[in-house]
Amino acid sequence: MKLIHMADVHLNRMPEEREGIGAIRKQEIQDTFDQVLMQAKKEKVDCILISGDLYDHPPMMEELKELNARFKKLSPIMIVLIAGNHDFIEENGPYERFEFAENVIFLKDKTLQSRYVEALNTTFWGFSYHQREIRDALYDRIEPVKGEGYHILLAHGGDENHIPIDYERLKWLGFDYIALGHIHKQEQIVEDFMAYSGSLEPLDRTEKGQHGYYLLDISEEGQRITFVPVAKRSYEVIEIEVEEDETLFDLTGRIEDEMIERGRQNFYEIHMTGYTSLSKRFSFEALEKKYYIIDIFDETMKDYDENELYEENKENILGMFIEEMRSLSAPYKEEAMTMGIEALLHTKVK
């Protein structure tokens, strides 16, 4: 049996609105989700698991109709899903009232339920959120599963506000695979057996690394999962050590070459270290017009002339600090002088 495990798609979210591309990112999230559905058909998978937060909010009726049309077209592929803390089931809301196509299993009860699919000889287990936060460790109450065939659990949570999970206990309950959702970074908690698939697309600048889904094979010999990256963009960190005599032109060129190599479409944090004679006011306006630079961290240290710096700042706190430090004979005087000047220079620039 071949399955796709995904979670935390967050349809209708608009990441990077402040960068002016919120609507573009919203569409890219939808496009990536559609791409995975098409890939499911191409790979001839038997089932798609969606472990919560398919939507960024409780969906509207029209949104569910559009979703159902996509799912129906995938038949005979089965789709099994639960609602997470973002797309929780509102009382008498569209999610609760909507009737999905025959190839869709929505485990929407508040308590653990199961559905057996004879064609796959598999029982699917899970329950949905009916509120934004659930602090009870509900998965701790699950009893060991029994019965023939395969058993797969869909679960959403893992922090103190969203169903704390005792992974060690969970792994001994007799499931053949545990498809986790809620954490946006892909991670195998137990190799080839219990995993967070992460989000299909990175949803904010803290979500670095690859994003995609797991392709899962289950047989009598066991299970094997493979991570498949699909995200259209990523959040990247560029670490640059500025050379002492480097010009701003050369530094800008090095940073741009790095961004071109990694991909123009990505979002970048730039971290600069080293000693430099350049002004602390690095200007990358030209790059910021061509690329998505979300943060610049300047941790360089000024290659300054102490005497010249003192003469220029005699009348302010920086000059007073240098004069005071020169009068001391304390250990680590030079290190303290350097650290103090750097701190005051950074403060002055800010």
Side-chain angles (χ1 to χ4, degrees):
M1 180 170 56
K2 185 182 289 187
L3 307 94
I4 280 178
H5 166 206
M6 68 168 119
D8 302 286
V9 182
H10 287 272
L11 295 173
N12 290 325
R13 181 177 285 197
M14 297 179 67
E16 296 304 335
E17 285 189 83
R18 80 176 191 180
E19 298 294 333
I21 61 167
I24 294 173
R25 289 296 290 136
K26 175 183 176 182
Q27 186 60 50
E28 287 177 348
I29 290 171
Q30 179 68 61
D31 292 345
T32 299
F33 174 65
D34 290 340
Q35 175 187 333
V36 175
L37 297 186
M38 287 188 289
Q39 190 66 21
K41 201 153 193 173
K42 183 178 179 181
E43 292 280 349
K44 297 181 179 179
V45 304
D46 299 292
C47 182
I48 298 172
L49 311 173
I50 305 176
S51 302
D53 285 354
L54 175 56
Y55 287 93
D56 194 52
H57 55 72
M60 305 296 290
M61 188 63 73
E62 286 303 313
E63 292 171 334
L64 291 176
K65 288 179 180 178
E66 291 292 333
L67 176 68
N68 194 48
R70 288 170 165 81
F71 285 167
K72 188 175 182 180
K73 192 173 181 179
L74 291 175
S75 183
I77 296 173
M78 297 295 302
I79 293 94
V80 183
L81 73 154
I82 59 175
N85 58 294
H86 275 266
D87 60 349
F88 66 95
I89 299 174
E90 297 176 303
E91 185 175 357
N92 202 35
Y95 239 165
E96 188 173 70
R97 294 183 284 114
F98 191 78
E99 292 294 331
F100 280 102
E102 291 184 358
N103 63 318
V104 179
I105 296 174
F106 186 16
L107 301 171
K108 60 184 179 182
D109 286 1
K110 292 181 181 180
T111 56
L112 187 69
Q113 64 179 123
S114 65
R115 285 280 300 275
Y116 176 71
V117 178
E118 185 175 0
L120 303 178
N121 190 26
T122 300
T123 302
F124 297 96
W125 301 77
F127 59 84
S128 289
Y129 280 65
H130 286 247
Q131 59 198 65
R132 286 197 180 277
E133 292 188 356
I134 302 176
R135 300 190 178 190
D136 293 338
L138 299 180
Y139 296 111
D140 288 357
R141 303 175 190 174
I142 296 177
E143 298 294 328
V145 298
K146 299 177 181 178
E148 298 298 321
Y150 302 112
H151 294 265
I152 295 176
L153 173 68
L154 283 72
H156 190 94
D159 65 43
E160 62 180 11
N161 293 322
H162 306 95
I163 312 183
I165 297 177
D166 182 345
Y167 303 110
E168 185 66 22
R169 180 184 184 279
L170 204 56
K171 78 178 185 180
W172 299 110
L173 295 182
F175 294 103
D176 294 281
Y177 183 70
I178 299 173
L180 298 170
H182 183 59
I183 306 300
H184 291 183
K185 180 181 180 181
Q186 57 99 4
E187 179 184 6
Q188 293 192 42
I189 304 299
V190 179
E191 187 177 1
D192 291 331
F193 171 70
M194 184 192 310
Y196 285 100
S197 62
S199 55
L200 295 182
E201 288 279 344
L203 301 172
D204 64 47
R205 56 196 63 199
T206 67
E207 298 184 9
K208 299 176 178 67
Q210 290 187 321
H211 288 261
Y213 64 89
Y214 281 118
L215 187 62
L216 168 67
D217 279 297
I218 295 182
S219 66
E220 292 181 0
E221 286 74 41
Q223 57 278 335
R224 178 173 56 86
I225 66 176
T226 304
F227 183 73
V228 182
V230 293
K232 301 186 185 304
R233 303 176 194 257
S234 62
Y235 288 90
E236 303 279 339
V237 175
I238 294 178
E239 296 181 348
I240 293 285
E241 185 170 354
V242 181
E243 298 173 3
E244 188 172 338
D245 297 322
E246 190 168 22
T247 66
L248 186 59
F249 175 79
D250 290 332
L251 177 61
T252 301
R254 281 209 291 150
I255 293 172
E256 182 165 24
D257 289 344
E258 187 77 19
M259 289 191 290
I260 290 173
E261 183 177 344
R262 298 195 193 191
R264 293 175 176 269
Q265 77 281 5
N266 296 326
F267 301 99
Y268 290 97
E269 280 184 12
I270 300 172
H271 293 250
M272 297 183 296
T273 58
Y275 287 87
T276 175
S277 58
L278 294 172
S279 165
K280 279 290 182 180
R281 298 182 182 275
F282 289 105
S283 175
F284 297 117
E285 290 182 10
L287 290 180
E288 290 177 306
K289 290 178 181 178
K290 295 168 63 177
Y291 305 93
Y292 297 108
I293 299 176
I294 58 175
D295 272 310
I296 298 174
F297 296 94
D298 178 9
E299 297 164 359
T300 59
M301 299 186 75
K302 182 74 171 177
D303 183 23
Y304 53 79
D305 182 287
E306 184 184 308
N307 292 324
E308 183 180 319
L309 195 63
Y310 172 69
E311 291 299 325
E312 292 175 353
N313 295 274
K314 278 183 177 180
E315 307 302 321
N316 63 38
I317 191 172
L318 179 54
M320 294 166 61
F321 172 78
I322 295 173
E323 186 175 2
E324 180 67 21
M325 290 299 296
R326 283 174 172 176
S327 69
L328 299 177
S329 59
Y332 307 109
K333 173 182 172 180
E334 293 303 318
E335 183 180 349
M337 173 80 86
T338 300
M339 292 176 64
I341 289 175
E342 284 297 322
L344 289 168
L345 284 173
H346 274 287
T347 302
K348 185 177 178 183
V349 168
K350 289 179 182 177

